[in-house]
Coordinates of all heavy atoms in Angstrom, one line a residue:
N1 N 78.9 107.7 102.8 CA 79.6 107.2 101.6 C 80.3 108.5 101.0 O 79.7 109.5 100.7 CB 78.5 106.7 100.6 CG 79.1 106.3 99.3 OD1 79.8 106.8 98.7 ND2 78.5 105.1 98.9
H2 N 81.7 108.2 100.8 CA 82.5 109.4 100.4 C 82.1 109.9 99.0 O 82.1 111.1 98.7 CB 83.9 108.8 100.3 CG 85.0 109.9 99.9 ND1 85.2 111.0 100.8 CD2 85.8 110.0 98.8 CE1 86.1 111.8 100.2 NE2 86.4 111.1 99.0
Q3 N 81.7 109.0 98.1 CA 81.2 109.5 96.8 C 79.9 110.4 96.8 O 79.9 111.4 96.1 CB 81.0 108.3 95.8 CG 82.2 107.5 95.6 CD 82.0 106.1 95.3 OE1 81.0 105.5 95.6 NE2 82.9 105.5 94.6
K4 N 79.1 110.0 97.7 CA 77.9 110.9 97.9 C 78.3 112.2 98.5 O 77.7 113.4 98.1 CB 76.8 110.2 98.8 CG 76.2 109.1 98.1 CD 75.2 108.4 99.0 CE 74.6 107.2 98.4 NZ 73.7 106.5 99.2
L5 N 79.2 112.3 99.4 CA 79.8 113.6 100.0 C 80.4 114.5 98.8 O 80.2 115.5 98.8 CB 80.7 113.4 101.1 CG 80.2 113.0 102.5 CD1 81.3 112.8 103.4 CD2 79.3 114.1 103.0
D6 N 81.1 113.8 98.0 CA 81.8 114.5 96.9 C 80.7 115.0 95.9 O 80.9 116.2 95.5 CB 82.7 113.6 96.1 CG 84.0 113.2 96.9 OD1 84.3 113.9 97.9 OD2 84.7 112.2 96.5
A7 N 79.7 114.2 95.7 CA 78.7 114.8 94.8 C 77.9 116.0 95.4 O 77.6 116.9 94.7 CB 77.8 113.6 94.3
M8 N 77.5 115.8 96.7 CA 76.9 116.8 97.4 C 77.7 118.1 97.4 O 77.3 119.2 97.2 CB 76.6 116.4 98.8 CG 75.8 117.4 99.6 SD 75.5 116.9 101.3 CE 77.2 116.8 101.9
Y9 N 79.0 118.0 97.6 CA 79.9 119.2 97.6 C 79.8 119.7 96.2 O 79.7 121.1 96.1 CB 81.3 118.8 98.1 CG 82.3 119.9 98.1 CD1 82.2 121.0 99.2 CD2 83.2 120.0 97.1 CE1 83.0 122.0 99.1 CE2 84.1 121.2 97.2 CZ 83.9 122.1 98.1 OH 84.8 123.3 98.1
K10 N 80.1 119.1 95.3 CA 80.2 119.5 93.9 C 78.9 120.2 93.6 O 78.9 121.4 93.0 CB 80.3 118.4 92.9 CG 80.5 118.8 91.5 CD 80.6 117.7 90.6 CE 80.8 118.2 89.1 NZ 80.9 117.0 88.1
L11 N 77.8 119.7 93.9 CA 76.4 120.4 93.6 C 76.3 121.7 94.4 O 75.9 122.7 93.9 CB 75.3 119.4 94.0 CG 73.8 119.9 93.9 CD1 73.6 120.2 92.4 CD2 72.9 118.9 94.4
S12 N 76.8 121.7 95.6 CA 76.8 122.9 96.5 C 77.7 124.0 95.8 O 77.4 125.2 96.1 CB 77.3 122.6 97.9 OG 78.6 122.6 98.1
Q13 N 78.6 123.7 95.1 CA 79.6 124.6 94.5 C 79.0 125.2 93.1 O 79.6 126.3 92.6 CB 81.0 124.1 94.3 CG 81.6 123.7 95.6 CD 81.7 124.9 96.5 OE1 82.4 125.9 96.2 NE2 81.1 124.8 97.7
E14 N 78.0 124.5 92.5 CA 77.4 125.0 91.3 C 76.8 126.3 91.4 O 76.1 126.6 92.5 CB 76.5 124.0 90.7 CG 77.2 122.7 90.2 CD 76.1 121.7 89.7 OE1 74.9 122.0 89.6 OE2 76.5 120.6 89.5
K15 N 77.0 127.2 90.4 CA 76.5 128.6 90.5 C 75.5 128.7 89.3 O 75.8 128.3 88.1 CB 77.5 129.5 90.3 CG 78.5 129.6 91.4 CD 78.1 129.8 92.8 CE 79.1 129.8 93.9 NZ 78.8 129.5 95.2
D16 N 74.3 129.3 89.5 CA 73.3 129.6 88.4 C 73.4 131.0 87.9 O 72.7 131.3 87.0 CB 72.0 129.4 89.0 CG 71.7 127.9 89.3 OD1 72.3 127.0 88.6 OD2 71.0 127.6 90.3
G17 N 74.3 131.8 88.4 CA 74.4 133.2 87.9 C 73.4 134.1 88.3 O 72.9 135.0 87.6
N18 N 72.7 133.8 89.5 CA 71.5 134.7 89.9 C 71.7 134.9 91.4 O 72.7 134.6 92.0 CB 70.1 134.1 89.6 CG 70.0 132.7 90.2 OD1 70.4 132.5 91.4 ND2 69.4 131.7 89.6
E19 N 70.8 135.7 91.9 CA 70.9 136.1 93.4 C 70.8 135.0 94.4 O 71.1 135.2 95.5 CB 69.8 137.2 93.6 CG 68.4 136.7 93.6 CD 67.8 136.6 92.2 OE1 68.4 137.1 91.3 OE2 66.6 136.2 92.1
C20 N 70.4 133.8 93.9 CA 70.4 132.7 94.8 C 71.8 132.0 95.1 O 71.9 131.2 96.0 CB 69.5 131.6 94.3 SG 67.7 132.2 94.3
D21 N 72.8 132.4 94.3 CA 74.1 131.7 94.4 C 74.7 132.4 95.7 O 74.6 133.6 96.0 CB 75.0 132.2 93.2 CG 74.7 131.5 91.9 OD1 73.9 130.5 92.0 OD2 75.2 132.0 90.9
A22 N 75.3 131.6 96.5 CA 76.0 132.0 97.7 C 77.3 132.7 97.3 O 78.0 132.2 96.5 CB 76.2 130.8 98.6
T23 N 77.6 133.8 98.0 CA 78.8 134.5 97.8 C 79.9 133.7 98.6 O 79.6 132.9 99.4 CB 78.8 136.0 98.2 OG1 78.6 136.0 99.6 CG2 77.7 136.7 97.5
Q24 N 81.2 134.0 98.3 CA 82.2 133.4 99.1 C 82.1 133.8 100.6 O 82.2 133.0 101.5 CB 83.6 133.8 98.6 CG 84.7 133.0 99.3 CD 84.7 131.5 99.1 OE1 84.6 131.1 98.0 NE2 84.6 130.8 100.3
A25 N 81.8 135.0 100.9 CA 81.6 135.5 102.2 C 80.5 134.8 102.9 O 80.6 134.4 104.1 CB 81.3 137.1 102.2
E26 N 79.3 134.5 102.2 CA 78.2 133.7 102.8 C 78.7 132.4 103.0 O 78.3 131.7 104.2 CB 77.0 133.7 101.8 CG 76.3 135.2 101.7 CD 75.4 135.3 100.6 OE1 75.5 134.6 99.5 OE2 74.5 136.2 100.8
E27 N 79.4 131.7 102.1 CA 79.8 130.3 102.3 C 80.8 130.2 103.5 O 80.8 129.3 104.3 CB 80.6 129.9 101.0 CG 80.8 128.4 101.1 CD 81.2 127.9 99.7 OE1 80.7 128.2 98.7 OE2 82.3 127.1 99.8
N28 N 81.6 131.3 103.6 CA 82.5 131.3 104.8 C 81.8 131.4 106.1 O 82.0 130.7 107.0 CB 83.5 132.5 104.7 CG 84.6 132.2 103.6 OD1 84.8 131.1 103.3 ND2 85.1 133.4 103.1
I29 N 80.7 132.2 106.1 CA 80.0 132.3 107.3 C 79.2 131.1 107.7 O 79.1 130.6 108.8 CB 78.9 133.6 107.2 CG1 79.8 134.9 107.3 CG2 77.9 133.6 108.3 CD1 79.0 136.1 106.8
L30 N 78.6 130.5 106.7 CA 77.7 129.3 106.9 C 78.4 128.1 107.2 O 77.9 127.2 107.9 CB 76.7 129.2 105.7 CG 75.7 130.2 105.6 CD1 74.9 130.0 104.3 CD2 74.7 130.2 106.8
I31 N 79.5 127.9 106.4 CA 80.2 126.5 106.4 C 81.6 126.7 106.9 O 82.1 126.2 108.0 CB 80.1 126.0 105.0 CG1 78.8 125.8 104.5 CG2 81.0 124.6 105.1 CD1 78.0 124.8 105.1
N32 N 82.5 127.3 106.2 CA 84.0 127.4 106.5 C 84.4 127.8 107.8 O 85.2 127.1 108.5 CB 84.7 128.0 105.3 CG 84.5 127.4 103.9 OD1 84.4 126.2 104.0 ND2 84.6 128.2 102.9
N33 N 83.9 129.1 108.2 CA 84.3 129.5 109.5 C 83.8 128.6 110.6 O 84.5 128.4 111.6 CB 83.7 130.9 109.7 CG 84.3 131.9 108.8 OD1 85.3 131.8 108.1 ND2 83.7 133.1 108.7
R34 N 82.6 128.1 110.5 CA 82.1 127.2 111.5 C 82.9 125.9 111.6 O 83.2 125.4 112.7 CB 80.6 126.9 111.3 CG 79.8 128.2 111.4 CD 78.3 128.0 110.9 NE 77.5 127.2 111.7 CZ 76.4 126.8 111.4 NH1 75.9 127.0 110.3 NH2 75.6 126.1 112.2
N35 N 83.3 125.4 110.4 CA 84.1 124.2 110.5 C 85.4 124.5 111.1 O 86.0 123.6 111.9 CB 84.4 123.7 109.1 CG 83.2 123.1 108.4 OD1 82.2 122.8 109.0 ND2 83.3 122.7 107.1
N36 N 86.1 125.6 110.8 CA 87.3 126.0 111.5 C 87.2 126.1 113.0 O 88.2 125.8 113.7 CB 87.9 127.2 110.8 CG 88.3 126.9 109.4 OD1 88.5 125.8 109.0 ND2 88.3 128.0 108.6
T37 N 86.1 126.6 113.4 CA 85.9 126.7 114.9 C 85.6 125.3 115.5 O 86.3 125.1 116.6 CB 84.6 127.6 115.1 OG1 84.8 129.0 114.6 CG2 84.3 127.7 116.6
W38 N 84.9 124.4 114.9 CA 84.7 123.1 115.4 C 85.9 122.4 115.4 O 86.3 121.6 116.4 CB 83.8 122.4 114.5 CG 82.2 122.6 115.1 CD1 81.4 123.3 114.4 CD2 81.7 122.2 116.2 NE1 80.2 123.4 115.1 CE2 80.3 122.7 116.3 CE3 82.2 121.5 117.3 CZ2 79.6 122.4 117.3 CZ3 81.4 121.2 118.4 CH2 80.1 121.6 118.4
I39 N 86.8 122.4 114.3 CA 88.0 121.7 114.3 C 89.1 122.0 115.5 O 89.8 121.2 116.0 CB 88.8 121.8 112.9 CG1 89.6 120.5 112.6 CG2 89.6 122.9 112.7 CD1 88.8 119.3 112.5
K40 N 88.9 123.2 116.1 CA 89.7 123.7 117.1 C 89.2 123.0 118.5 O 89.9 122.8 119.4 CB 89.7 125.2 117.3 CG 90.5 125.9 116.2 CD 90.4 127.3 116.2 CE 91.0 128.0 115.1 NZ 90.8 129.5 115.0
K41 N 87.8 122.8 118.5 CA 87.2 122.4 119.8 C 87.1 120.8 119.8 O 87.1 120.3 121.0 CB 85.8 122.9 119.8 CG 85.7 124.4 120.0 CD 84.3 124.9 120.1 CE 84.3 126.4 120.3 NZ 82.9 126.9 120.5
L42 N 86.9 120.1 118.7 CA 86.7 118.7 118.7 C 87.9 117.9 119.3 O 87.5 117.0 120.0 CB 86.5 118.3 117.3 CG 85.2 118.7 116.6 CD1 85.1 118.3 115.2 CD2 83.9 118.1 117.4
P43 N 89.1 118.2 119.2 CA 90.1 117.4 119.8 C 89.9 117.2 121.3 O 90.0 116.1 121.9 CB 91.4 118.0 119.4 CG 91.1 118.6 118.1 CD 89.8 119.2 118.2
E44 N 89.6 118.3 122.0 CA 89.5 118.2 123.4 C 88.2 117.4 123.7 O 88.1 116.7 124.8 CB 89.4 119.6 124.0 CG 89.2 119.7 125.5 CD 90.5 119.2 126.3 OE1 91.5 119.4 125.7 OE2 90.2 118.7 127.4
M45 N 87.2 117.7 123.0 CA 85.9 116.9 123.2 C 86.1 115.4 123.0 O 85.5 114.6 123.7 CB 84.8 117.5 122.3 CG 84.5 118.9 122.6 SD 83.4 119.6 121.3 CE 82.0 118.6 121.5
M46 N 87.0 115.0 122.2 CA 87.0 113.6 121.8 C 88.3 112.8 122.5 O 88.3 111.6 122.2 CB 87.3 113.5 120.2 CG 86.2 114.1 119.4 SD 86.4 113.8 117.6 CE 88.0 114.7 117.3
K47 N 89.0 113.6 123.2 CA 90.2 112.9 123.7 C 90.0 111.8 124.6 O 90.9 110.9 124.8 CB 91.2 114.0 124.1 CG 91.1 114.4 125.6 CD 92.2 115.5 125.8 CE 92.1 115.7 127.4 NZ 93.1 116.7 127.7
E48 N 89.0 111.7 125.4 CA 88.7 110.8 126.5 C 88.1 109.5 125.8 O 88.3 108.4 126.4 CB 87.9 111.4 127.5 CG 88.5 112.5 128.3 CD 89.7 111.9 129.1 OE1 89.6 110.8 129.7 OE2 90.7 112.8 129.2
N49 N 87.1 109.6 124.9 CA 86.3 108.5 124.5 C 86.0 108.6 123.0 O 86.0 109.6 122.4 CB 85.0 108.5 125.1 CG 85.1 108.3 126.7 OD1 85.7 107.3 127.2 ND2 84.6 109.4 127.4
P50 N 85.8 107.3 122.4 CA 85.3 107.4 121.0 C 84.1 108.4 121.0 O 83.3 108.4 121.9 CB 84.8 106.0 120.8 CG 85.7 105.2 121.7 CD 85.7 106.1 122.9
S51 N 83.9 109.1 119.9 CA 82.8 110.1 119.8 C 82.0 110.0 118.6 O 82.5 109.6 117.6 CB 83.5 111.4 119.9 OG 84.2 111.5 121.2
L52 N 80.8 110.4 118.7 CA 79.9 110.6 117.6 C 79.6 112.0 117.4 O 79.1 112.6 118.4 CB 78.6 109.8 117.8 CG 77.5 110.1 116.7 CD1 77.8 109.6 115.3 CD2 76.2 109.5 117.2
I53 N 80.1 112.6 116.3 CA 79.8 114.1 116.1 C 78.8 114.2 115.0 O 78.9 113.6 114.0 CB 81.1 114.7 115.7 CG1 82.2 114.5 116.7 CG2 80.9 116.2 115.5 CD1 82.0 114.8 118.1
V54 N 77.7 114.9 115.4 CA 76.6 115.1 114.3 C 76.5 116.6 113.9 O 76.4 117.4 114.7 CB 75.3 114.6 114.9 CG1 74.1 114.7 114.0 CG2 75.4 113.2 115.5
V55 N 76.7 116.8 112.7 CA 76.6 118.0 112.0 C 75.7 118.1 110.8 O 75.5 117.0 110.2 CB 78.0 118.6 111.7 CG1 78.8 118.8 113.0 CG2 78.7 117.8 110.7
G56 N 75.5 119.2 110.3 CA 74.8 119.2 108.9 C 75.7 118.6 107.8 O 76.9 118.8 107.9
A57 N 75.1 118.1 106.9 CA 75.9 117.3 105.8 C 77.0 118.2 105.2 O 78.0 117.6 104.9 CB 74.9 116.7 104.8
L58 N 76.7 119.4 104.8 CA 77.7 120.2 104.1 C 78.9 120.5 105.0 O 79.9 120.9 104.4 CB 77.0 121.5 103.6 CG 76.5 121.3 102.1 CD1 75.8 122.6 101.7 CD2 77.4 120.8 101.2
H59 N 78.8 120.3 106.2 CA 79.9 120.6 107.1 C 80.9 119.4 107.0 O 82.0 119.5 107.5 CB 79.4 120.8 108.6 CG 78.9 122.1 108.8 ND1 79.6 123.3 108.9 CD2 77.5 122.4 108.9 CE1 78.7 124.2 109.1 NE2 77.5 123.8 109.1
L60 N 80.5 118.3 106.4 CA 81.3 117.1 106.2 C 82.2 117.1 105.0 O 83.2 116.6 105.0 CB 80.5 115.8 106.2 CG 79.7 115.6 107.6 CD1 78.7 114.4 107.3 CD2 80.6 115.4 108.8
A61 N 81.6 117.8 103.9 CA 82.2 117.5 102.5 C 83.2 118.6 102.1 O 83.2 119.7 102.8 CB 81.0 117.6 101.6
G62 N 84.0 118.3 101.1 CA 84.9 119.3 100.6 C 86.3 119.4 101.3 O 86.4 118.8 102.4
P63 N 87.2 120.0 100.7 CA 88.5 120.1 101.2 C 88.6 120.9 102.5 O 89.5 120.7 103.3 CB 89.3 121.0 100.1 CG 88.3 121.6 99.4 CD 87.0 120.8 99.5
N64 N 87.6 121.7 102.9 CA 87.5 122.4 104.2 C 86.6 121.7 105.2 O 86.3 122.3 106.3 CB 87.3 123.9 104.1 CG 88.3 124.5 103.2 OD1 89.5 124.3 103.5 ND2 87.9 125.4 102.3
G65 N 86.0 120.6 104.7 CA 85.0 119.9 105.6 C 85.7 119.2 106.7 O 86.8 119.1 106.9
L66 N 84.7 119.0 107.7 CA 85.3 118.3 109.0 C 86.0 116.9 108.8 O 86.9 116.7 109.4 CB 84.1 118.2 109.9 CG 83.6 119.5 110.5 CD1 82.5 119.3 111.4 CD2 84.7 120.4 111.1
V67 N 85.4 116.2 107.8 CA 86.0 114.9 107.4 C 87.4 115.1 107.0 O 88.4 114.4 107.6 CB 85.2 114.1 106.5 CG1 85.9 112.8 106.0 CG2 83.8 113.7 107.1
A68 N 87.7 115.9 106.1 CA 89.1 116.2 105.6 C 89.9 116.8 106.6 O 91.1 116.4 106.7 CB 89.0 117.1 104.3
Q69 N 89.5 117.7 107.4 CA 90.2 118.4 108.4 C 90.6 117.4 109.6 O 91.7 117.4 110.1 CB 89.5 119.6 109.0 CG 89.5 120.8 108.0 CD 89.2 122.0 108.6 OE1 89.9 122.4 109.6 NE2 88.2 122.7 108.1
L70 N 89.7 116.5 110.0 CA 90.0 115.6 110.9 C 91.0 114.5 110.5 O 91.9 114.1 111.1 CB 88.7 114.8 111.4 CG 87.7 115.7 112.3 CD1 86.4 115.0 112.5 CD2 88.4 116.0 113.7
K71 N 90.8 114.1 109.2 CA 91.9 113.1 108.7 C 93.2 113.7 108.6 O 94.2 113.1 108.9 CB 91.3 112.7 107.3 CG 90.2 111.7 107.3 CD 89.8 111.3 106.0 CE 88.7 110.1 106.1 NZ 88.3 109.7 104.7
K72 N 93.2 115.0 108.2 CA 94.5 115.7 108.1 C 95.2 115.8 109.4 O 96.4 115.8 109.6 CB 94.3 117.1 107.5 CG 95.6 117.8 107.2 CD 95.3 119.2 106.6 CE 96.5 120.0 106.3 NZ 96.2 121.3 105.8
A73 N 94.3 115.9 110.5 CA 94.9 116.0 111.8 C 95.2 114.6 112.4 O 95.7 114.5 113.6 CB 93.9 116.7 112.7
G74 N 95.1 113.5 111.6 CA 95.4 112.2 112.0 C 94.4 111.4 112.6 O 94.6 110.2 113.1
Y75 N 93.1 111.8 112.6 CA 92.0 111.1 113.1 C 91.5 110.0 112.1 O 91.6 110.2 111.0 CB 90.8 112.0 113.6 CG 91.2 112.8 114.8 CD1 91.7 114.1 114.6 CD2 90.9 112.3 116.1 CE1 92.1 114.8 115.8 CE2 91.2 113.1 117.2 CZ 91.7 114.3 117.0 OH 92.0 115.1 118.1
T76 N 90.9 108.9 112.7 CA 90.2 108.0 111.9 C 88.7 108.4 111.8 O 88.2 108.6 113.0 CB 90.4 106.5 112.4 OG1 91.7 106.2 112.4 CG2 89.6 105.5 111.6
V77 N 88.2 108.6 110.7 CA 86.8 109.0 110.6 C 86.0 107.9 110.0 O 86.4 107.4 108.8 CB 86.7 110.3 109.7 CG1 85.2 110.7 109.6 CG2 87.5 111.5 110.3
T78 N 85.0 107.4 110.5 CA 84.2 106.3 110.1 C 82.8 106.7 110.0 O 82.1 107.2 110.9 CB 84.3 105.1 111.1 OG1 85.8 104.8 111.3 CG2 83.6 103.9 110.6
A79 N 82.1 106.4 108.7 CA 80.8 106.7 108.5 C 79.9 105.7 109.3 O 80.3 104.5 109.4 CB 80.4 106.6 107.1
V80 N 78.9 106.1 109.9 CA 77.9 105.3 110.5 C 76.8 104.9 109.6 O 76.2 105.8 108.9 CB 77.4 106.0 111.9 CG1 76.3 105.2 112.5 CG2 78.4 106.4 112.8
K81 N 76.4 103.7 109.5 CA 75.4 103.2 108.7 C 74.2 102.9 109.4 O 74.2 102.3 110.5 CB 75.9 102.0 107.8 CG 77.1 102.3 106.9 CD 77.5 101.0 106.2 CE 78.7 101.5 105.2 NZ 79.1 100.3 104.3

């Protein structure tokens, strides 16, 4: 559900002003850099057959998430229920 992904992303971006807040560098290491690496590999992996790609939920959400990047690249992304 797209609304749940949006809510999860928004929650992940909230900061409490303490040492538990992820820095931008940490967020890049944990999420953004990994997404950018996957988005380069996925087209080759998916070109032959319909594919199910399973990742941690935060890799799906947000403007740099895999869902947004795949849609931007012209793919149809469908949630599995």
